[in-house]
Amino acid sequence: MRARRQRRLRRATATGVALSLVATVVTTQVVPAPAAAAATLTLSVDVSAARHRISPDIYGMNGAEPAFAAEIGLPVARWGGNASSRYNFKNQTYNTGSDWFFENIVAGPENTVEAFVERSRARGAKQIVTVPMVGWVAKDSPREHPFACGFPATRFPEQDSFDQWDPNCGNGRLNDTNLTGADPTDTSVPADASFDGEMVSHLVSRFGTAAQGGVKIYELDNEPVLWASTHRDVHPELVTYDELGSKGTATAAAIKKADPTAAVLGPSGWGYCEWISSGVDGCALGADAAAHGGLNLSQWYLKNMKDFSDAHGGRRFLHYFDQHYYPQIGGGTDPDANALRLRSTRSLWDPTYVEESWIGPTGVNAPPLQFIRTMKDWIAGYYPGTKTAITEYNFGALDHINGALTQAEVLGIFGREALDLATMWGEPQPQQPGAFAFRMYRNYDGAGGRFGDVSVSATSSDQGQLSVFAAQRSSDKALTLMVINKTSEDLTSALSITGVNRNGTAQRYTYGPADLTSIVRGDDVAANRGTIEATYPADSLTLLVLPRR
């Protein structure tokens, strides 16, 4: 569901993109002669080491322009966001919450949950559907203004702002302070886990079970610790461990009763504070944590789900442990902002990277996040066998080459670190540089050429300048190498390869500032005795494809 968000607004979906886009992605160009660079810069790949499967589901999005989704073979799509917390499938109405004056909106024909599932199925994309747990869903409401809303002027005549198109609907704040005393029944009707069971049963009746091609994954609401902010007209109370835990297990049980073959995903927290703390505790371990064994919220959530499973004969009720990830950086594209954006990707994996935002020493002083690895550690300790997911993330600047470099780095990290599923929020438009980062992994040649699906060891002598990710394709055993030049200078490096035939010719595909409208098919590069000597243009992505001989 395309929900408005104050801290990360989504663009409207583009229309009218030419269907010939795929056919014109790749052009041919002779790559300039190599430029000199630091002699010590080296890349190494070992095809026999660190081998593991790359999940195709890491290349997902919350939404995408239809032609672009088809072009990259979008593997998974999510229907979620703040508005999904109060979506009522019975009347196809949702509430915008704090994103837009707490208004009830009747979804148009293209914005219903059924329409989302139909579109995704037609594209061959796995679907994630969010079910509400906040306790309320939107009641029957008018399709046109005036809308039902959570803080009407008839009850709260003094507010900081009102909807210019619906002056009875306010933002629920006065003098920059949240108002209290809203009546949930102005907009909503009660809904508990049984409602979610009905919703899943409805989708099963329409599309079949997950095993029959229906909805594959159900998400346990969206950013629940923020309910007291985003949906404070119906849930002003701060979320506790017990509320999140009890609602999560009850809803998961209702989902599995309605569709035993579906997977369940949660808790989908908004960021660092919600990863570790309840709404009561804020952004540190407090009394709520102390009352739950001193565990942080993520640890306890996993343990609570496992305890529930153990109490029900070992049946699994949580399949994906999901959190949202937004780097706490600005959206600028000046040199300092660009450098920070690229460095910030280290928070996903690097145990030595110290956060440069309020999360680090200048703020809450959190230890290095190494977030994907931390998620896996929590799972190993409290609910082994659970998969990892990041169903919202965005590093920004998708309309700039730096955003493309960063997104390509992120996708490489997701594969190398064996993340199971990811869906970008605020996806790039098809002709923006950020879209070409996805094409480099999913359609680099305009004919469906893809990065490998078995990750192998790849290292750089200086990851901050020139990073490398490597994977072998199961279908033809070709070795694919993604090299990202993060600097403003052309860089030459020797790339050594072990574990495969040491001689051959690699195809070269490049995306960079020289042509932001296409992926360039460059001259082939020779591999001699296991070494490829190549120059990587400034601020560019280069994919080398070495066929099996």
Side-chain angles (χ1 to χ4, degrees), residues 151-410:
F151 291 94
T154 51
R155 181 174 290 117
F156 301 95
E158 299 294 327
Q159 299 185 53
D160 288 344
S161 64
F162 292 90
D163 183 354
Q164 60 180 315
W165 295 287
D166 201 327
N168 187 52
C169 296
N171 71 343
R173 290 176 65 80
L174 181 61
N175 299 325
D176 288 329
T177 300
N178 288 343
L179 295 171
T180 59
D183 184 350
T185 62
D186 282 345
T187 61
S188 305
V189 293
D192 58 15
S194 63
F195 175 91
D196 298 315
E198 291 180 57
M199 181 175 177
V200 176
S201 293
H202 165 70
L203 293 173
V204 167
S205 69
R206 179 79 174 266
F207 303 106
T209 65
Q212 295 167 334
V215 175
K216 300 296 185 184
I217 304 171
Y218 291 94
E219 182 172 356
L220 300 175
D221 212 291
N222 177 74
E223 301 180 352
V225 169
L226 291 185
W227 287 339
S229 174
T230 54
H231 297 285
R232 60 183 182 272
D233 57 324
V234 298
H235 195 295
E237 306 84 8
L238 296 173
V239 171
T240 65
Y241 278 58
D242 287 340
E243 181 184 10
L244 183 61
S246 61
K247 285 186 172 180
T249 53
T251 303
I255 291 168
K256 295 297 286 182
K257 181 178 180 181
D259 185 354
T261 67
V264 178
L265 177 151
S268 309
W270 69 266
Y272 174 75
C273 295
E274 190 167 350
W275 303 340
I276 65 166
S277 303
S278 67
V280 172
D281 280 350
C283 200
L285 301 186
D288 205 6
H292 294 82
L295 300 179
N296 70 38
L297 185 59
S298 290
Q299 293 168 331
W300 182 84
Y301 184 88
L302 288 162
K303 179 181 182 298
N304 184 62
M305 281 293 189
K306 184 178 186 303
D307 290 346
F308 189 77
S309 171
D310 291 345
H312 291 79
R315 186 182 185 190
R316 180 169 283 276
F317 291 91
L318 183 73
H319 302 79
Y320 291 87
F321 174 60
D322 172 51
Q323 298 288 12
H324 297 167
Y325 188 91
Y326 290 95
Q328 301 300 293
I329 58 177
T333 53
D334 59 273
D336 287 344
N338 286 343
L340 175 58
R341 181 173 295 106
L342 286 165
R343 287 197 306 274
S344 70
T345 63
R346 294 168 59 191
S347 288
L348 293 168
W349 66 273
D350 190 346
T352 70
Y353 180 66
V354 178
E355 284 295 309
E356 301 175 67
S357 69
W358 61 266
I359 298 174
T362 61
V364 298
N365 200 27
L369 296 181
Q370 48 180 328
F371 187 57
I372 297 173
R373 298 182 183 187
T374 297
M375 292 175 78
K376 290 178 177 288
D377 286 344
W378 288 339
I379 288 169
Y382 298 99
Y383 200 176
T386 307
K387 296 179 180 180
T388 51
I390 299 175
T391 58
E392 288 189 22
Y393 74 94
N394 193 315
F395 282 74
L398 296 171
D399 58 351
H400 190 276
I401 185 60
N402 181 261
L405 301 181
T406 304
Q407 182 59 35
E409 181 87 0
V410 168

Side-chain angles (χ1 to χ4, degrees), residues 2-84:
R2 309 295 288 251
R4 300 182 182 94
R5 290 174 180 267
Q6 290 179 326
R7 66 179 186 279
R8 44 185 187 275
L9 294 178
R10 304 195 65 170
R11 298 178 297 277
T13 299
T15 58
V17 176
L19 295 179
S20 61
L21 181 62
V22 174
T24 60
V25 166
V26 179
T27 62
T28 300
Q29 175 176 306
V30 176
V31 176
T40 57
L41 192 59
T42 59
L43 306 174
S44 301
V45 171
D46 186 347
V47 179
S48 64
R51 294 178 65 89
H52 65 262
R53 174 181 174 271
I54 295 176
S55 169
D57 293 341
I58 64 173
Y59 304 109
M61 297 182 185
N62 277 262
E65 192 275 335
F68 179 57
E71 179 192 349
I72 65 172
L74 187 70
V76 59
R78 171 178 176 258
W79 190 85
N82 290 339
S84 64

Side-chain angles (χ1 to χ4, degrees), residues 116 143 282 340 352 391 404 429 438 503:
F116 162 79
R143 291 181 175 271
L340 175 58
T352 70
T391 58
Q429 294 305 303
F438 280 90
N503 298 308

